[in-house]
Amino acid sequence: FLKVKANKLANPFFIGMAIKASQLTNGSPYDIILENEFSSISAEYEMKMDQISTTSGVYNWTVADKIVAYGNANGINVHGHALVWHNSVPQWLKDFSGTDAEFKAEVKKYITDVVTHYAGKVKSWDVVNEAVDDNGTTMRNTIFLQRMGAGYVKDCFQWARDAAKAAGDNSLLLFYNDYATSTNIPKQNKVFSIVDDLKAGNLIDGLGFQMHNNYLNPTKAQIQTDLNKAVAKGLKVHVSELDIQVNQSNDISTFTNERRLAQKAKYKEMVQLYNALPAANKYALTVWGMRDNESWIPYSTELNHPGNDWPLLYDSNFAVKSAHTGFLEGLD
Ligand code: G3I
């Protein structure tokens, strides 16, 4: 089992899985796999602002509480994903007609209330997700940038830090999370400039590398360079949303053996690279979903993924794939 092997490492780290609350019923196939194989969970979407915040100062905690309670009851680490993200802004905040100062106060209140509500129960948060534009040179032109200005990332981290401290939670880890920094070097540089700014204020503890990869890219060298920069900055590294596409070019209609083996090798490589990190920089390696047929990838609009894919560790029957074997071998 993945976490059993990981926990025996000289420098262990969490083996994470993205989940949905409906999967957490006691004795479900998900529950059995999670309890045997995983030591951390991230909510795939149910701990985002558009799911928790119904309107200003009004929250629906039910589903997120179920996820957090499951982790806490089963000794499984809970990573909070994500406080601020442009793709999970609730409609009321999109339509907000107040001033920019009032908008900023709403975001501060949301972050403060959520971090306070989960203090001591959620061990880490993606405070801001995907704030850098894919052009790699500018901040993404989100509602947060437009209404709060360029300092919004730092503000969000400050508010999260202050709320944790006020709640007596001095161990909460604050992460910045983004994607494609291993292959998009301008974006990698822009992310690390944000990191430097946050580190100056002691506001960041770790970096989330989503790693929505494929069987060809990023290369081992590209990943190594990216992760090493985080190590050099003294940051914890969270591989936060790992999946490995094998049909990103839509050139196969069935999962061929050649692609199975290529995917197995890439999972093994990613786990080996993560496992080689210094102990101080290890946190978690999280896979973005349980079964191939549940992956976000084949249905994703922003990815423009052309067809089917088989990116995860388990097949539609919850059976382990060769990718899972590769993951295990990476823990040797
Ligand atoms: O399950 C409900 C269904 O009951 C309901 O009828 C339906 C219509 O509202 O929604 C269904 O939930 C959807 C959920 O995916 C199903 O898994 C949500 O609407 C939909 O928003 C959600 O999409 C998630 C997306 O983030 C937006 O939150 C994806 O699962 C999730 O994989 C994706 O993950 C993101 C990371 O957070 C950030 N990095 C990129 C990654 C992929 O986009």
Side-chain angles (χ1 to χ4, degrees), residues 223-256:
I223 298 170
Q224 187 75 77
T225 301
D226 206 7
L227 300 189
N228 284 350
K229 281 193 176 181
V231 171
K233 303 279 180 184
L235 293 171
K236 290 195 178 295
V237 172
H238 182 200
V239 170
S240 55
E241 305 181 17
L242 180 62
D243 41 34
I244 299 183
Q245 298 168 49
V246 291
N247 192 30
Q248 70 276 12
S249 309
N250 201 26
D251 58 341
I252 54 175
S253 56
T254 59
F255 193 17
T256 63

mmCIF file of all heavy atoms in Angstrom, residues 223-256:
data_model
loop_
_atom_site.group_PDB
_atom_site.id
_atom_site.type_symbol
_atom_site.label_atom_id
_atom_site.label_comp_id
_atom_site.label_asym_id
_atom_site.label_seq_id
_atom_site.Cartn_x
_atom_site.Cartn_y
_atom_site.Cartn_z
ATOM 1 N N ILE A 223 11.376 19.141 -14.327
ATOM 2 C CA ILE A 223 10.767 19.035 -12.993
ATOM 3 C C ILE A 223 11.820 19.290 -11.926
ATOM 4 O O ILE A 223 11.615 20.066 -10.991
ATOM 5 C CB ILE A 223 10.132 17.648 -12.797
ATOM 6 C CG1 ILE A 223 9.008 17.400 -13.790
ATOM 7 C CG2 ILE A 223 9.613 17.494 -11.365
ATOM 8 C CD1 ILE A 223 8.489 15.954 -13.802
ATOM 9 N N GLN A 224 12.973 18.682 -12.095
ATOM 10 C CA GLN A 224 14.062 18.818 -11.104
ATOM 11 C C GLN A 224 14.425 20.296 -10.924
ATOM 12 O O GLN A 224 14.559 20.777 -9.796
ATOM 13 C CB GLN A 224 15.287 18.026 -11.584
ATOM 14 C CG GLN A 224 16.407 17.967 -10.553
ATOM 15 C CD GLN A 224 16.091 17.005 -9.418
ATOM 16 O OE1 GLN A 224 16.180 15.799 -9.559
ATOM 17 N NE2 GLN A 224 15.671 17.551 -8.274
ATOM 18 N N THR A 225 14.561 21.010 -12.029
ATOM 19 C CA THR A 225 14.918 22.444 -11.954
ATOM 20 C C THR A 225 13.864 23.218 -11.177
ATOM 21 O O THR A 225 14.177 24.035 -10.308
ATOM 22 C CB THR A 225 15.042 23.018 -13.383
ATOM 23 O OG1 THR A 225 16.041 22.284 -14.080
ATOM 24 C CG2 THR A 225 15.381 24.501 -13.353
ATOM 25 N N ASP A 226 12.603 22.922 -11.466
ATOM 26 C CA ASP A 226 11.487 23.628 -10.836
ATOM 27 C C ASP A 226 11.449 23.350 -9.337
ATOM 28 O O ASP A 226 11.434 24.274 -8.508
ATOM 29 C CB ASP A 226 10.182 23.161 -11.504
ATOM 30 C CG ASP A 226 9.068 24.192 -11.432
ATOM 31 O OD1 ASP A 226 9.315 25.328 -10.982
ATOM 32 O OD2 ASP A 226 7.939 23.843 -11.808
ATOM 33 N N LEU A 227 11.506 22.096 -8.957
ATOM 34 C CA LEU A 227 11.447 21.742 -7.533
ATOM 35 C C LEU A 227 12.674 22.274 -6.785
ATOM 36 O O LEU A 227 12.571 22.756 -5.654
ATOM 37 C CB LEU A 227 11.335 20.223 -7.348
ATOM 38 C CG LEU A 227 10.126 19.512 -7.955
ATOM 39 C CD1 LEU A 227 10.088 18.061 -7.482
ATOM 40 C CD2 LEU A 227 8.832 20.216 -7.596
ATOM 41 N N ASN A 228 13.830 22.224 -7.455
ATOM 42 C CA ASN A 228 15.062 22.696 -6.781
ATOM 43 C C ASN A 228 14.979 24.170 -6.404
ATOM 44 O O ASN A 228 15.550 24.602 -5.404
ATOM 45 C CB ASN A 228 16.287 22.458 -7.667
ATOM 46 C CG ASN A 228 16.718 20.990 -7.673
ATOM 47 O OD1 ASN A 228 16.214 20.192 -6.878
ATOM 48 N ND2 ASN A 228 17.631 20.651 -8.565
ATOM 49 N N LYS A 229 14.242 24.942 -7.222
ATOM 50 C CA LYS A 229 14.108 26.375 -6.909
ATOM 51 C C LYS A 229 13.333 26.557 -5.602
ATOM 52 O O LYS A 229 13.654 27.440 -4.797
ATOM 53 C CB LYS A 229 13.386 27.108 -8.039
ATOM 54 C CG LYS A 229 14.268 27.423 -9.231
ATOM 55 C CD LYS A 229 13.581 28.407 -10.164
ATOM 56 C CE LYS A 229 14.502 28.810 -11.307
ATOM 57 N NZ LYS A 229 13.851 29.793 -12.214
ATOM 58 N N ALA A 230 12.352 25.701 -5.395
ATOM 59 C CA ALA A 230 11.572 25.790 -4.156
ATOM 60 C C ALA A 230 12.430 25.370 -2.968
ATOM 61 O O ALA A 230 12.380 25.985 -1.900
ATOM 62 C CB ALA A 230 10.337 24.908 -4.253
ATOM 63 N N VAL A 231 13.266 24.353 -3.178
ATOM 64 C CA VAL A 231 14.164 23.904 -2.108
ATOM 65 C C VAL A 231 15.127 25.032 -1.744
ATOM 66 O O VAL A 231 15.334 25.343 -0.573
ATOM 67 C CB VAL A 231 14.939 22.634 -2.545
ATOM 68 C CG1 VAL A 231 16.019 22.288 -1.529
ATOM 69 C CG2 VAL A 231 13.986 21.458 -2.724
ATOM 70 N N ALA A 232 15.645 25.677 -2.791
ATOM 71 C CA ALA A 232 16.614 26.780 -2.554
ATOM 72 C C ALA A 232 15.972 27.926 -1.764
ATOM 73 O O ALA A 232 16.645 28.659 -1.048
ATOM 74 C CB ALA A 232 17.140 27.291 -3.883
ATOM 75 N N LYS A 233 14.627 28.061 -1.890
ATOM 76 C CA LYS A 233 13.916 29.123 -1.172
ATOM 77 C C LYS A 233 13.468 28.668 0.220
ATOM 78 O O LYS A 233 12.764 29.401 0.926
ATOM 79 C CB LYS A 233 12.667 29.554 -1.961
ATOM 80 C CG LYS A 233 12.945 30.036 -3.377
ATOM 81 C CD LYS A 233 13.412 31.464 -3.422
ATOM 82 C CE LYS A 233 13.674 31.892 -4.862
ATOM 83 N NZ LYS A 233 14.223 33.252 -4.960
ATOM 84 N N GLY A 234 13.825 27.423 0.580
ATOM 85 C CA GLY A 234 13.450 26.918 1.902
ATOM 86 C C GLY A 234 11.972 26.634 2.039
ATOM 87 O O GLY A 234 11.410 26.699 3.137
ATOM 88 N N LEU A 235 11.319 26.307 0.921
ATOM 89 C CA LEU A 235 9.866 26.083 0.940
ATOM 90 C C LEU A 235 9.542 24.598 0.973
ATOM 91 O O LEU A 235 10.262 23.776 0.415
ATOM 92 C CB LEU A 235 9.225 26.693 -0.306
ATOM 93 C CG LEU A 235 9.271 28.213 -0.396
ATOM 94 C CD1 LEU A 235 8.807 28.659 -1.767
ATOM 95 C CD2 LEU A 235 8.422 28.849 0.696
ATOM 96 N N LYS A 236 8.414 24.268 1.622
ATOM 97 C CA LYS A 236 7.882 22.926 1.475
ATOM 98 C C LYS A 236 7.321 22.790 0.070
ATOM 99 O O LYS A 236 6.799 23.755 -0.500
ATOM 100 C CB LYS A 236 6.790 22.693 2.515
ATOM 101 C CG LYS A 236 7.369 22.598 3.927
ATOM 102 C CD LYS A 236 6.383 22.031 4.907
ATOM 103 C CE LYS A 236 7.005 21.895 6.280
ATOM 104 N NZ LYS A 236 8.115 20.896 6.289
ATOM 105 N N VAL A 237 7.472 21.581 -0.475
ATOM 106 C CA VAL A 237 7.003 21.294 -1.830
ATOM 107 C C VAL A 237 5.786 20.378 -1.743
ATOM 108 O O VAL A 237 5.841 19.315 -1.104
ATOM 109 C CB VAL A 237 8.113 20.615 -2.660
ATOM 110 C CG1 VAL A 237 7.577 20.145 -4.000
ATOM 111 C CG2 VAL A 237 9.290 21.579 -2.848
ATOM 112 N N HIS A 238 4.691 20.814 -2.359
ATOM 113 C CA HIS A 238 3.503 19.970 -2.465
ATOM 114 C C HIS A 238 3.266 19.696 -3.940
ATOM 115 O O HIS A 238 3.014 20.634 -4.706
ATOM 116 C CB HIS A 238 2.287 20.680 -1.853
ATOM 117 C CG HIS A 238 1.032 19.865 -1.870
ATOM 118 N ND1 HIS A 238 -0.222 20.425 -1.758
ATOM 119 C CD2 HIS A 238 0.817 18.526 -1.980
ATOM 120 C CE1 HIS A 238 -1.142 19.457 -1.792
ATOM 121 N NE2 HIS A 238 -0.527 18.300 -1.919
ATOM 122 N N VAL A 239 3.463 18.447 -4.369
ATOM 123 C CA VAL A 239 2.984 18.084 -5.708
ATOM 124 C C VAL A 239 1.496 17.908 -5.501
ATOM 125 O O VAL A 239 1.060 16.930 -4.865
ATOM 126 C CB VAL A 239 3.672 16.815 -6.232
ATOM 127 C CG1 VAL A 239 2.991 16.311 -7.506
ATOM 128 C CG2 VAL A 239 5.151 17.091 -6.503
ATOM 129 N N SER A 240 0.711 18.860 -5.956
ATOM 130 C CA SER A 240 -0.642 19.037 -5.393
ATOM 131 C C SER A 240 -1.786 18.439 -6.203
ATOM 132 O O SER A 240 -2.868 18.215 -5.661
ATOM 133 C CB SER A 240 -0.896 20.537 -5.204
ATOM 134 O OG SER A 240 -0.699 21.222 -6.444
ATOM 135 N N GLU A 241 -1.557 18.162 -7.523
ATOM 136 C CA GLU A 241 -2.689 17.716 -8.355
ATOM 137 C C GLU A 241 -2.212 16.764 -9.450
ATOM 138 O O GLU A 241 -2.623 16.828 -10.580
ATOM 139 C CB GLU A 241 -3.397 18.925 -8.979
ATOM 140 C CG GLU A 241 -3.853 19.947 -7.959
ATOM 141 C CD GLU A 241 -4.571 21.120 -8.569
ATOM 142 O OE1 GLU A 241 -5.021 21.040 -9.729
ATOM 143 O OE2 GLU A 241 -4.708 22.159 -7.891
ATOM 144 N N LEU A 242 -1.369 15.828 -9.065
ATOM 145 C CA LEU A 242 -0.702 14.979 -10.055
ATOM 146 C C LEU A 242 -1.680 14.093 -10.816
ATOM 147 O O LEU A 242 -2.527 13.402 -10.229
ATOM 148 C CB LEU A 242 0.336 14.091 -9.367
ATOM 149 C CG LEU A 242 1.128 13.142 -10.278
ATOM 150 C CD1 LEU A 242 1.949 13.913 -11.305
ATOM 151 C CD2 LEU A 242 2.043 12.238 -9.422
ATOM 152 N N ASP A 243 -1.639 14.193 -12.139
ATOM 153 C CA ASP A 243 -2.227 13.196 -13.022
ATOM 154 C C ASP A 243 -1.356 13.181 -14.279
ATOM 155 O O ASP A 243 -0.666 14.160 -14.578
ATOM 156 C CB ASP A 243 -3.708 13.448 -13.348
ATOM 157 C CG ASP A 243 -4.047 14.916 -13.596
ATOM 158 O OD1 ASP A 243 -3.192 15.647 -14.152
ATOM 159 O OD2 ASP A 243 -5.177 15.329 -13.237
ATOM 160 N N ILE A 244 -1.340 12.073 -14.970
ATOM 161 C CA ILE A 244 -0.450 11.915 -16.121
ATOM 162 C C ILE A 244 -1.246 11.413 -17.324
ATOM 163 O O ILE A 244 -1.595 10.238 -17.425
ATOM 164 C CB ILE A 244 0.727 10.976 -15.784
ATOM 165 C CG1 ILE A 244 1.543 11.582 -14.625
ATOM 166 C CG2 ILE A 244 1.604 10.748 -17.021
ATOM 167 C CD1 ILE A 244 2.780 10.805 -14.213
ATOM 168 N N GLN A 245 -1.543 12.385 -18.222
ATOM 169 C CA GLN A 245 -2.311 12.084 -19.427
ATOM 170 C C GLN A 245 -1.483 11.218 -20.375
ATOM 171 O O GLN A 245 -0.265 11.347 -20.439
ATOM 172 C CB GLN A 245 -2.677 13.383 -20.146
ATOM 173 C CG GLN A 245 -3.546 14.320 -19.328
ATOM 174 C CD GLN A 245 -3.624 15.689 -19.960
ATOM 175 O OE1 GLN A 245 -3.881 15.798 -21.168
ATOM 176 N NE2 GLN A 245 -3.395 16.733 -19.187
ATOM 177 N N VAL A 246 -2.174 10.346 -21.075
ATOM 178 C CA VAL A 246 -1.499 9.524 -22.087
ATOM 179 C C VAL A 246 -2.105 9.761 -23.475
ATOM 180 O O VAL A 246 -1.635 9.193 -24.459
ATOM 181 C CB VAL A 246 -1.593 8.021 -21.750
ATOM 182 C CG1 VAL A 246 -0.755 7.701 -20.527
ATOM 183 C CG2 VAL A 246 -3.048 7.593 -21.545
ATOM 184 N N ASN A 247 -3.126 10.628 -23.513
ATOM 185 C CA ASN A 247 -3.784 10.838 -24.810
ATOM 186 C C ASN A 247 -4.027 12.319 -25.065
ATOM 187 O O ASN A 247 -5.025 12.715 -25.654
ATOM 188 C CB ASN A 247 -5.118 10.061 -24.838
ATOM 189 C CG ASN A 247 -5.709 9.998 -26.238
ATOM 190 O OD1 ASN A 247 -4.969 10.014 -27.229
ATOM 191 N ND2 ASN A 247 -7.022 9.956 -26.329
ATOM 192 N N GLN A 248 -3.101 13.143 -24.625
ATOM 193 C CA GLN A 248 -3.272 14.601 -24.758
ATOM 194 C C GLN A 248 -3.314 15.017 -26.226
ATOM 195 O O GLN A 248 -3.805 16.094 -26.551
ATOM 196 C CB GLN A 248 -2.162 15.361 -24.014
ATOM 197 C CG GLN A 248 -0.774 15.277 -24.633
ATOM 198 C CD GLN A 248 0.000 14.037 -24.254
ATOM 199 O OE1 GLN A 248 -0.560 13.094 -23.684
ATOM 200 N NE2 GLN A 248 1.276 14.014 -24.586
ATOM 201 N N SER A 249 -2.803 14.171 -27.112
ATOM 202 C CA SER A 249 -2.866 14.525 -28.544
ATOM 203 C C SER A 249 -3.971 13.754 -29.259
ATOM 204 O O SER A 249 -4.073 13.795 -30.482
ATOM 205 C CB SER A 249 -1.509 14.228 -29.206
ATOM 206 O OG SER A 249 -0.472 14.813 -28.462
ATOM 207 N N ASN A 250 -4.744 13.006 -28.445
ATOM 208 C CA ASN A 250 -5.878 12.273 -29.017
ATOM 209 C C ASN A 250 -5.452 11.374 -30.180
ATOM 210 O O ASN A 250 -6.108 11.304 -31.208
ATOM 211 C CB ASN A 250 -6.958 13.253 -29.492
ATOM 212 C CG ASN A 250 -8.306 12.553 -29.590
ATOM 213 O OD1 ASN A 250 -8.538 11.562 -28.883
ATOM 214 N ND2 ASN A 250 -9.180 13.050 -30.435
ATOM 215 N N ASP A 251 -4.309 10.694 -29.976
ATOM 216 C CA ASP A 251 -3.816 9.829 -31.061
ATOM 217 C C ASP A 251 -4.073 8.352 -30.780
ATOM 218 O O ASP A 251 -3.662 7.487 -31.546
ATOM 219 C CB ASP A 251 -2.315 10.065 -31.298
ATOM 220 C CG ASP A 251 -1.490 9.803 -30.041
ATOM 221 O OD1 ASP A 251 -2.080 9.802 -28.933
ATOM 222 O OD2 ASP A 251 -0.277 9.570 -30.167
ATOM 223 N N ILE A 252 -4.758 8.072 -29.641
ATOM 224 C CA ILE A 252 -5.133 6.672 -29.377
ATOM 225 C C ILE A 252 -6.597 6.646 -28.948
ATOM 226 O O ILE A 252 -7.102 7.598 -28.365
ATOM 227 C CB ILE A 252 -4.257 6.021 -28.272
ATOM 228 C CG1 ILE A 252 -4.265 6.856 -26.989
ATOM 229 C CG2 ILE A 252 -2.845 5.785 -28.778
ATOM 230 C CD1 ILE A 252 -3.516 6.194 -25.821
ATOM 231 N N SER A 253 -7.271 5.545 -29.253
ATOM 232 C CA SER A 253 -8.683 5.450 -28.842
ATOM 233 C C SER A 253 -8.841 4.459 -27.702
ATOM 234 O O SER A 253 -9.845 4.434 -27.016
ATOM 235 C CB SER A 253 -9.535 5.008 -30.041
ATOM 236 O OG SER A 253 -9.001 3.787 -30.539
ATOM 237 N N THR A 254 -7.824 3.617 -27.509
ATOM 238 C CA THR A 254 -7.834 2.735 -26.322
ATOM 239 C C THR A 254 -6.476 2.896 -25.628
ATOM 240 O O THR A 254 -5.493 3.320 -26.234
ATOM 241 C CB THR A 254 -8.006 1.248 -26.732
ATOM 242 O OG1 THR A 254 -6.918 0.906 -27.597
ATOM 243 C CG2 THR A 254 -9.330 1.026 -27.423
ATOM 244 N N PHE A 255 -6.452 2.528 -24.350
ATOM 245 C CA PHE A 255 -5.258 2.685 -23.512
ATOM 246 C C PHE A 255 -4.257 1.584 -23.900
ATOM 247 O O PHE A 255 -4.297 0.485 -23.355
ATOM 248 C CB PHE A 255 -5.682 2.576 -22.059
ATOM 249 C CG PHE A 255 -4.644 3.005 -21.067
ATOM 250 C CD1 PHE A 255 -3.536 3.776 -21.424
ATOM 251 C CD2 PHE A 255 -4.775 2.642 -19.737
ATOM 252 C CE1 PHE A 255 -2.597 4.174 -20.491
ATOM 253 C CE2 PHE A 255 -3.839 3.032 -18.790
ATOM 254 C CZ PHE A 255 -2.752 3.793 -19.170
ATOM 255 N N THR A 256 -3.340 1.910 -24.806
ATOM 256 C CA THR A 256 -2.413 0.889 -25.331
ATOM 257 C C THR A 256 -1.376 0.488 -24.276
ATOM 258 O O THR A 256 -1.096 1.235 -23.340
ATOM 259 C CB THR A 256 -1.631 1.461 -26.535
ATOM 260 O OG1 THR A 256 -0.854 2.564 -26.054
ATOM 261 C CG2 THR A 256 -2.580 1.926 -27.622
#
